[in-house]
Amino acid sequence: MSDILKRLSDEGVSIWLDDISRERLRTGDLAELVKDSHVVGVTSNPTIFAKALSKGNAYDDQVRDLALLGVDVEEASRAITTFDIRWGCDVLRPVYDRTDGVDGRVSIEVDPRLAKETAKTVAEARMLWWLVDRPNLFIKIPATEECLPAITETLAQGISVNVTLIFSLERYGAVIDAFFAGLERARENGHDLSKIASVASFFVSRVDTEIDKRLDKLGSDGAKGLRSKAGLANARLAYALYEERFGTGRWKALKDAGARPQRPLWASTGVKDPDLNDTLYVDELVAPGTVNTMPEATLVAEADHGQVRGDTVRGAYDDARAHMAALKDAGVDYDDVVRVLEDEGVAKFADSWKGMLDSITGELESKRAGA
């Protein structure tokens, strides 16, 4: 079953699981995925934690202790989520050691309600770094305009960063600039650049969902023929930008000082359109030095019937540019699409965070009442 996943790994794609839960950790399921399915990293987000907390009883003992101590919901949420992430880091630590820190990473996101607040995002990043206290941690910071300086400042302090919620090529370029600036400042601050890692999480399927909705509204045969291709085209052009920017003198100076590149990470790779191949956003985004973070259903599908046929990115730049031009000619406003997607992404994570806090509040109150 894992042969396809091994071929994917051999092509230079790091397979990360887009999920974590206390149940997955305590049953050894995550360790089994690392052992048998070539999983070399884990990502989390507020939606994943909200879902994990809503199922089963894995969190009951910790919530009971927090309730007895009179801990408020904000502190309780950090205690609960950082416990899982720390445990996940320990499970992935052998991978981290084996790959010299390239993989074996586990990500935790800053409070999404801070996505428009630079200083508070940096403070939250520092606190999560202290709380988890593992070298293979990634702090996830959204690529909002307000958080670009926070990305730079966090990296400058020697903290590894997963930049999330990237939708547009323009913003991705700004993220790379923030990464370069962060490493330059980290070097000035005396940090060992080889110990600082980063990925840039470029979202894929959500781009198709939003653009296909607009194409369907246009209704023409030409518009219909453009469906379900924009996510791949956008991601491929992101990789082209990655190759361009990491071929500059500015990057060479950092590389010579020991820095590692900020790898492109394909996020939102679960296929949402039932008419599409469920491994589309894996098979069609194979390129060296990338990460593909998959929901478990996508991981299982890829292991079962994925079609790994070598690099499917670098030979497709011209087609990608032509497709984006055709979308513009059809009347799809790319700038508006990515603006809507960023706003929705921040709002969805904030809603999930609130749902998680509400769930924890209910559990705390229930345990206090039963004490």
Side-chain angles (χ1 to χ4, degrees):
M1 181 177 179
S2 297
D3 287 347
I4 295 172
L5 297 178
K6 183 180 186 303
R7 290 203 296 274
L8 186 64
S9 299
D10 289 344
E11 289 293 340
V13 178
S14 291
I15 299 168
W16 290 9
L17 178 70
D18 192 27
D19 190 57
I20 196 167
S21 69
R22 188 74 53 87
E23 187 68 17
R24 191 183 289 281
L25 290 161
R26 73 177 184 179
T27 61
D29 177 77
L30 178 58
E32 288 179 9
L33 290 173
V34 172
K35 177 177 176 288
D36 299 330
S37 298
H38 303 279
V39 170
V40 293
V42 171
T43 48
S44 70
N45 61 47
T47 302
I48 286 170
F49 275 120
K51 181 180 176 182
L53 281 156
S54 70
K55 292 184 177 181
N57 61 1
Y59 296 92
D60 284 2
D61 289 345
Q62 187 181 17
V63 173
R64 185 179 297 108
D65 289 344
L66 293 168
L68 286 170
L69 292 169
V71 172
D72 68 27
V73 66
E74 298 283 346
E75 186 178 347
S77 71
R78 291 190 182 94
I80 290 166
T81 56
T82 56
F83 185 96
D84 281 4
I85 296 299
R86 189 182 306 109
W87 192 345
C89 283
D90 290 343
V91 172
L92 271 295
R93 182 60 187 265
V95 177
Y96 174 82
D97 292 336
R98 186 180 73 241
T99 62
D100 192 26
V102 174
D103 285 308
R105 300 279 178 169
V106 183
S107 298
I108 186 170
E109 189 151 349
V110 296
D111 185 337
R113 297 171 298 180
L114 305 177
K116 303 293 184 181
E117 300 187 56
T118 304
K120 287 185 178 180
T121 293
V122 175
E124 176 91 351
R126 281 200 299 258
M127 181 169 61
L128 291 172
W129 187 254
W130 297 332
L131 285 170
V132 176
D133 192 27
R134 296 293 187 272
N136 51 330
L137 176 68
F138 266 141
I139 304 297
K140 288 180 78 174
I141 299 176
T144 58
E145 190 172 353
E146 294 85 354
C147 279
L148 292 172
I151 293 164
T152 294
E153 177 61 28
T154 302
L155 288 164
Q157 296 187 27
I159 297 172
S160 296
V161 175
N162 175 344
V163 184
T164 189
L165 288 177
I166 308 172
F167 297 98
S168 78
L169 296 169
E170 180 181 7
R171 185 58 55 82
Y172 179 39
V175 166
I176 295 173
D177 282 338
F179 171 70
F180 286 170
L183 290 190
E184 287 161 351
R185 287 182 50 194
R187 181 176 56 188
E188 293 169 2
N189 292 338
H191 291 290
D192 181 352
L193 297 191
S194 69
K195 303 298 184 184
I196 306 171
S198 184
V199 292
S201 297
F202 206 87
F203 280 54
V204 186
S205 68
R206 293 191 195 182
V207 174
D208 273 340
T209 300
E210 179 63 26
I211 288 181
D212 286 358
K213 181 171 63 177
R214 298 181 185 216
L215 290 170
D216 290 344
K217 189 174 181 179
L218 290 171
S220 67
D221 289 342
K224 291 177 183 177
L226 297 173
R227 293 184 88 260
S228 305
K229 299 174 184 176
L232 292 176
N234 199 40
R236 286 165 173 164
L237 293 179
Y239 193 84
L241 181 60
Y242 161 76
E243 288 194 308
E244 174 189 332
R245 297 294 296 279
F246 283 85
T248 62
R250 186 180 185 188
W251 167 245
K252 185 179 184 303
L254 288 167
K255 182 180 179 182
D256 289 346
R260 304 173 186 227
Q262 181 186 56
R263 291 187 292 169
L265 179 152
W266 311 128
S268 181
T269 58
V271 174
K272 296 174 175 61
D273 185 338
D275 293 331
L276 299 177
N277 185 333
D278 57 1
T279 64
L280 177 70
Y281 302 123
V282 180
D283 296 337
E284 298 300 329
L285 289 175
V286 175
T290 59
V291 178
N292 196 306
T293 182
M294 311 177 202
E296 186 174 22
T298 302
L299 178 70
V300 170
E302 182 66 23
D304 180 65
H305 53 264
Q307 299 292 321
V308 181
R309 57 187 192 284
D311 190 329
T312 51
V313 173
R314 289 184 290 185
Y317 293 159
D318 288 344
D319 287 344
R321 293 186 185 99
H323 183 76
M324 300 309 283
L327 287 172
K328 182 178 180 180
D329 291 343
V332 174
D333 185 340
Y334 176 82
D335 290 339
D336 185 64
V337 166
V338 295
R339 182 166 51 249
V340 166
L341 287 171
E342 180 179 297
D343 290 344
E344 285 184 352
V346 171
K348 285 177 181 177
F349 279 171
D351 287 345
S352 294
W353 191 266
K354 181 180 182 302
M356 181 185 72
L357 294 182
D358 289 346
S359 176
I360 293 172
T361 297
E363 290 295 320
L364 289 172
E365 291 176 349
S366 172
K367 296 297 188 292
R368 284 168 185 150

